[in-house]
Amino acid sequence: MILTKEQFITEFKDMAVKLYAAPLEDLSSQQLYQVLALLTRSYLAQPWADTKQRYDQEETKKVYYFSIEFLPGRLLQSNLLNLGILDQVRQSLAELGLNPQEIFAAESDPGLGNGGLGRLASAFMDAMASVGMAGHGNGIRYQYGLFKQAFVNGYQVELPDDWMRNGFAWETRKENRAITVKFGGQAELRPSRNGNLGVVYHNTEDVLAVPYDVAMVGYQNNVVNNLRLWSAEVPLNAGSNFTLAQKERINQITQNLYPDDSNDAGKELRLWQEYFFTSAGIQSVVRHYRRKHNTMKHFAQQVAIHINDTHPAVAVPELMRVLMDDEQVGWDEAWQITVEVMSYTNHTLLSEALEVWPIHMFSETLPRIYQIIQEIDRRFRLTLIPNFGQGMIDRVAPLGNGQVRMAFLATIGSHSINGVAPIHSELLKNDVLNDLYQIFPERFNNKTNGITPRRWIQINDRPLLGLIDQQIGTQWRKNPLALTELAHLVDDQAFLAALNATKAENKQILANYISQAVGLKVDPTAIFDVQIKRLHAYKRQLLHVLGILDAYLAIKRGEKRPQRVHIFGAKAAPSYTYAKEIIKVINAVADLVNHDDQVSPYLQVVFLPNYGVSIAEKIIPAADISEQISTAGKEASGTSNMKLMSAGALTLATLDGANIEIKNAVGADNIEIFGLTEEEIDGYHQRGDYHARDFYENDPRLKAVLDMFVNGQIPGIEIEGRDIFNSLLTYNDEYFVLADFESYVAANARLDDLYQRPQDWAKKVLVNIANSGQFSADFTVQRYGREIWQVTPTTPVNDGLD
Ligand code: NBG
């Protein structure tokens, strides 16, 4: 959009008066943020309305992306950037004597997601709008996010994440679009007048789903899509029939992201959440479609519904229900429509990929949906047992072992199933979903994840942005493949020095933040070695700790090492004890190392609390080393690996997930690979001959490090140290940490060595940045559009394939 500074300044001052009846100088940063957010909303309102109208008029095919998490991060700068007015606004605010960064920082991170799964969903929202695809999100408006993490005595403490305390400036409540979702009771089938079976419900608990819409602004293309978040409320006509306890139960549905499901009540609440947002979404999609169409015949030509991981897999029977019970479509036609409309992404091979519900809980909570699943199950068995045999069909039918099996249901009810990096997609076919792959081979495909360079570089890495623009112009901002033009500078000494200078600037900024956040002074000339991701045993933060302890012991022996600062960011799920023990140990190691005068000049450890999008924005531009060290075969893709390479960090990685794609993109010389391959690990499993203890006994360096967990050398971890020690030695090290220790340490030594040669280091950094463009989510969603959804972008980015 076009906006002059003068116009902005006038409107900004006006808005301040309208909102707070006060001049700018009386307002706090939070209030200034509210003023700016509201003004920005007024700028995006018209394109939002126009986009809606155009989609309806042109009958554009729409994608609805169903996801239990979205992790958008702060939206103000991203909306301004995409509207094309970020620079003017920054300058105008400065002219008014205000500090734009302070105003932007007053926005809280929406607590609507947790990790890569949710961040990917939000990157896709941004990307779909930016390439001009009609792609809308469907999720839950959680009142509280996962939790706010603090450390007390090194232990993780979970505080409520009251992220909406000051409201959520970007949402619009659409009470007129509310939907009723039914739980429990009985579903009785009765023949209706036309001979079909009709459903009569008795004693259901009805919940009102009220949508809140959030604008998803495309990059300078006048497209604004919709993210619809549902909030659970008491039905309008409930009157005094509702007891306080019932109201409380309804409020709970959308209160917390991932309520603890380690007991039955928590499990049931998650099932309520999943059906709640899925049913509300499906009903509202069908209602919208029916406004313009008399029958459901051509629904699949107009609508694609994406099941992001298994949480919304109940979309399959729910669409069947709506088609049959509300729209009077017969089973066969309804099934055909459903399979054509649905597609499913799997995001992990770990057991949580295979979400299952006990049949008794499921059938009591969702009786009609359960009936439909029984019928899906019956027909699946009937048609496939003759060809594939009872044994195989028993293994993968929707119902089995007293459970409803959601990954199988999603696969059977979708026309496309994809993994998120080639290795992961192959393992899906050959391992976790192998039986279903044999039945439906044509459904399986890969779509490697992506990230949005708009947020990570354009908004968030201003020094690098300036340098790139100066060298190759701004065309890469629309098409990041143009970053490859940087490659010809690989022998340009002045450019390499400038590249190192941008990193130094970013490291200084992070050093300031570290000092303010945790009171530790770190030297910005040290190597900044970063591991930022959810805390999980398979991601092996523990291996990183072993590396740190090895360096500690070496320095104690008098070895000199290049100075390194290890930076962690990670939350552990509240009921995941082992992950919390690792947090405690990292903090204890930080205490030990940082307070040792002999060691701390060479080695420091920082664990920044409350990792999330905003903290990632601080860490990523400053990273030198990106630790992507999961046990091969376990990390589906990873996306912090892509963000970090694009910010010029060198990847220290196992051959896992998208690390393999990064290696292919930059070449083996520009990435540091170590560790067992997936095949080698599989070999150990097949033969059953992994003996972690052998590594401990045969490698004195490793033994010295592991002994530190139990010999009191790290104060304060008696219990945690013992548990971790036992997990590695008594329980034989499920994640092959010990097997990879030696090669990990050697890879680190090579990086230390390289860092002594700044020009050589910078060359590799350059190759990484230059080849990061292919990981833009804009390309990823175009591939989904072309190969899964059959949805065409109106402002595509040329990926060389069109
Ligand atoms: C995560 C994987 C990551 C992957 C993201 C996005 C879940 C269930 N899975 O490797 O662990 O990058 O999904 O696909 O959160």
Side-chain angles (χ1 to χ4, degrees), residues 69 115-118 120 309 311 345-348 352 420 449 534 538-539 634-639:
E69 291 184 40
L117 176 83
L120 185 77
D309 228 35
H311 318 103
T345 299
N346 172 290
H347 290 270
T348 173
E352 58 253 42
V420 290
N449 282 165
R534 289 174 300 137
Y538 84 79
K539 295 179 187 278
K634 294 290 181 194
E635 187 70 272
S637 161
T639 42

Side-chain angles (χ1 to χ4, degrees), residues 16-33:
V17 175
K18 283 185 188 144
L19 199 55
Y20 293 109
L24 292 178
E25 48 281 15
D26 289 358
L27 302 187
S28 67
S29 299
Q30 175 57 228
Q31 289 171 319
L32 290 167
Y33 161 71

Side-chain angles (χ1 to χ4, degrees), residues 133-182:
M133 267 186 195
H136 301 306
N138 186 74
I140 297 179
R141 179 182 182 268
Y142 301 102
Q143 222 174 332
Y144 295 92
L146 191 67
F147 59 83
K148 211 171 140 198
Q149 181 193 52
F151 297 135
V152 175
N153 190 22
Y155 291 102
Q156 168 173 294
V157 176
E158 295 114 29
L159 307 167
D161 173 19
D162 189 7
W163 69 278
M164 276 200 271
R165 212 167 69 93
N166 291 305
F168 181 34
W170 306 107
E171 68 181 9
T172 308
R173 180 180 166 90
K174 295 269 175 72
E175 186 151 320
N176 57 337
R177 298 272 182 262
I179 296 270
T180 303
V181 180
K182 290 182 185 307

Side-chain angles (χ1 to χ4, degrees), residues 109-143:
D109 278 34
L112 301 169
N114 161 36
L117 176 83
R119 183 54 221 155
L120 185 77
S122 283
F124 280 11
M125 288 295 109
D126 181 276
M128 286 194 282
S130 294
V131 302
M133 267 186 195
H136 301 306
N138 186 74
I140 297 179
R141 179 182 182 268
Y142 301 102
Q143 222 174 332

Side-chain angles (χ1 to χ4, degrees), residues 572-642:
S575 56
Y576 190 176
T577 311
Y578 187 71
K580 290 169 114 170
E581 292 188 326
I582 290 173
I583 290 186
K584 168 66 180 171
V585 167
I586 297 173
N587 280 322
V589 170
D591 265 351
L592 174 73
V593 166
N594 299 343
H595 293 119
D596 185 317
D597 292 344
Q598 188 192 346
V599 175
S600 60
Y602 305 100
L603 180 64
Q604 287 177 302
V605 179
V606 185
F607 199 145
L608 286 172
N610 204 31
Y611 180 66
V613 179
S614 287
I615 302 221
E617 288 169 358
K618 295 184 197 305
I619 296 174
I620 289 170
D624 292 311
I625 297 178
S626 158
E627 301 247 4
Q628 308 298 338
I629 60 176
S630 51
T631 314
K634 294 290 181 194
E635 187 70 272
S637 161
T639 42
S640 77
N641 47 4
M642 300 170 183

Side-chain angles (χ1 to χ4, degrees), residues 200-212:
V200 182
Y201 292 92
H202 304 285
N203 307 315
T204 55
E205 247 180 275
D206 292 357
V207 179
L208 192 70
V210 180
Y212 286 73

